[in-house]
């Protein structure tokens, strides 16, 4: 249910449009403050966060840890071998212990059910730092980046090219709340989850297209977006996927078809020469690094919202 008072940040469409746009405004505001060198805004002073990672990460770990500490708090990194979620201990026990130490929990996990269980059993806010199903913090940062570069998200055309994965699900769930035109161009058999597409379409907010035709898809795009073809947990499929995904690489020719106003975005890490060419990532229209930077600012605003600031 859309609700600005929710305890956790698990899916973008759990929140209503007002709340999402407010969080994005807040992200820009606190970003400006931090960029100005201001270091006396310390709302998280005396607060601690545990960060559970069952998968690798650079951006998520460093941006959460840095952001929380810049705002006065202390973050604790728990890597795949530390608590061994579900192996050494059950998720529901981990949740009920950590919330007695920490004010907030962030987690990156495989099964989506694990983040739902953490949220169910922890009495403190739980933030989704990526699951096999979705990656809401990433798409909040992407929305912030689009607003910074284009001026608004509403009414833009975002064209994702590649695997219908967790990133696509979060784009779809954002499209269920904020109006824009979202297109996913993917190979047959690699479409996003049907129910999620239905949910986004049923919301009646955004225009949603799923297609196999990249050339047609990118026409008039404001943003062309790409992600790895084999996500974490699928790396043994990488070779097979390289064959199936041929034709879904974002290269200079595809960007040319998109037109002069199109930016290139990628959540990173990228495999240059696979899903995107080196030339596209390095081009002036590529905004992948400001996009990565905005992870921290979007997440700061999410945590401020959840912790009641
Ligand atoms: N985009 C992203 O989540 O990066 P990491 O896997 O490095 O955290
Ligand atoms: N789809 C990718 C995103 C990485 C940030 C993965 O899940 O590995």
């Amino acid at each position: 249910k859309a609700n600005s008072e929710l305890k956790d940040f698990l899916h973008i469409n759990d929140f209503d449009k007002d709340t999402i746009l407010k969080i994005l405004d807040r992200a820009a505001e606190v970003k400006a403050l931090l960029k100005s060198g201001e270091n006396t805004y310390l709302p998280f002073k005396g607060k601690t966060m545990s960060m559970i990672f069952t998968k690798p990460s650079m951006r998520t770990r460093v941006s959460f840890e840095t952001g929380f500490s810049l705002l006065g708090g202390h973050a604790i990194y728990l890597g795949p071998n530390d608590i061994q979620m579900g192996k050494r201990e059950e998720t529901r026990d981990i949740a009920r212990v950590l919330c007695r130490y920490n004010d907030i929990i962030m987690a990156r996990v495989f099964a989506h059910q694990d983040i739902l269980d953490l949220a169910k059993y922890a009495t403190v806010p739980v933030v989704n730092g990526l699951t096999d199903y979705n990656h809401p913090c990433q798409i909040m940062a992407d929305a912030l980046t689009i607003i910074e570069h284009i001026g608004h998200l509403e009414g833009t055309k975002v064209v994702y090219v590649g695997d219908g994965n967790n990133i696509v699900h979060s784009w779809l769930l954002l499209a269920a709340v904020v109006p824009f035109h979202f297109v996913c161009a993917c190979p047959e058999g690699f479409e996003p989850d049907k129910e999620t597409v239905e949910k986004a379409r049923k919301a009646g907010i955004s225009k949603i297209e799923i297609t196999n035709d990249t050339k047609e898809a990118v026409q008039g795009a404001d943003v062309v977006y790409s992600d790895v073809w084999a996500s974490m947990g699928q790396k043994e499929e990488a070779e097979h996927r390289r064959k199936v995904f041929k034709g879904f690489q974002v290269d200079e020719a595809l960007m040319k078809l998109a037109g002069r106003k199109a930016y290139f975005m990628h959540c990173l890490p990228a495999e240059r020469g696979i899903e995107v060419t080196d030339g596209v990532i390095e081009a002036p229209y590529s905004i992948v690094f400001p996009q990565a930077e905005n992870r921290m600012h979007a997440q700061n605003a999410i945590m401020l919202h959840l912790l009641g600031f």
Side-chain angles (χ1 to χ4, degrees):
K1 249 211 178 145
N3 181 341
S4 62
E5 303 288 309
L6 288 176
K7 174 174 86 66
D8 311 294
F9 193 80
L10 305 179
H11 321 90
I12 293 175
N13 67 320
D14 292 340
F15 297 87
D16 53 31
K17 180 182 169 192
D18 263 13
T19 307
I20 291 300
L21 294 181
K22 241 185 243 160
I23 293 173
L24 292 171
D25 273 352
R26 193 73 191 287
E29 191 187 308
V30 177
K31 177 178 180 176
L33 192 77
L34 290 175
K35 290 259 187 191
S36 76
E38 169 68 52
N39 56 8
T40 58
Y41 181 56
L42 303 168
F44 299 157
K45 196 164 178 211
K47 299 207 178 291
T48 62
M49 165 168 66
S50 48
M51 308 191 298
I52 302 170
F53 283 89
T54 63
K55 290 174 172 174
S57 169
M58 174 169 76
R59 277 147 291 272
T60 305
R61 185 212 168 150
V62 180
S63 59
F64 266 104
E65 189 163 336
T66 305
F68 201 68
S69 96
L70 284 175
L71 298 181
H74 175 73
I76 299 153
Y77 171 73
L78 299 163
N81 289 322
D82 291 323
I83 59 176
Q84 299 175 37
M85 212 169 110
K87 255 185 257 153
R88 184 168 183 267
E89 207 160 358
E90 284 191 32
T91 304
R92 56 194 166 141
D93 291 350
I94 293 169
R96 284 176 292 182
V97 172
L98 288 180
C99 66
R100 286 167 184 256
Y101 302 135
N102 303 127
D103 301 282
I104 183 164
I105 299 169
M106 194 281 298
R108 162 170 290 193
V109 297
F110 285 91
H112 193 65
Q113 188 60 45
D114 287 343
I115 200 93
L116 300 179
D117 287 345
L118 278 175
K120 178 173 174 194
Y121 287 98
T123 55
V124 301
V126 171
V127 182
N128 179 349
L130 179 147
T131 71
D132 287 345
Y133 174 65
N134 67 347
H135 197 2
C137 291
Q138 178 68 54
I139 275 52
M140 289 294 280
D142 300 343
L144 177 63
T145 311
I146 290 173
I147 292 167
E148 282 177 351
H149 284 80
I150 300 176
H152 50 92
L153 171 65
E154 293 189 34
T156 58
K157 180 177 181 184
V158 177
V159 181
Y160 175 98
V161 179
D163 182 31
N165 62 15
N166 45 9
I167 293 288
V168 177
H169 297 150
S170 280
W171 272 116
L172 287 166
L173 296 179
L174 176 65
V177 180
V178 180
F180 61 101
H181 181 180
F182 180 69
V183 187
C184 171
C186 54
E188 229 182 299
F190 292 86
E191 288 87 3
D193 171 57
K194 268 208 177 85
E195 264 179 52
T196 307
V197 175
E198 264 322 287
K199 198 180 280 177
R201 282 196 171 130
K202 262 207 186 130
I205 303 285
S206 296
K207 183 171 174 189
I208 313 268
E209 293 179 279
I210 313 293
T211 172
N212 307 126
D213 186 341
T214 56
K215 293 191 175 76
E216 165 104 45
V218 298
Q219 308 277 338
D222 294 288
V223 170
V224 177
Y225 195 110
S226 154
D227 183 17
V228 290
W229 291 342
S231 285
M232 292 179 271
Q234 302 173 329
K235 295 301 175 190
E236 71 291 342
E237 293 176 34
E239 222 183 283
H240 168 66
R241 283 174 178 247
R242 280 184 194 191
K243 287 179 200 137
V244 182
F245 281 73
K246 243 196 175 130
F248 287 82
Q249 184 187 65
V250 178
D251 59 11
E252 288 84 338
L254 194 67
M255 289 304 297
K256 209 164 186 186
L257 275 181
R260 283 172 49 179
K261 72 172 194 291
Y263 288 104
F264 174 72
M265 297 179 75
H266 190 305
C267 55
L268 303 179
E271 290 196 71
R272 290 169 191 245
I274 308 297
E275 77 272 8
V276 58
T277 60
D278 185 72
V280 166
I281 292 211
E282 297 299 334
Y285 52 71
S286 164
I287 52 173
V288 299
F289 298 114
Q291 179 188 1
E293 177 185 342
N294 279 336
R295 288 294 303 279
M296 182 172 87
H297 303 298
Q299 289 155 194
N300 282 349
I302 290 165
M303 293 190 290
L304 284 165
H305 175 77
L306 295 176
L307 291 171
F309 290 100

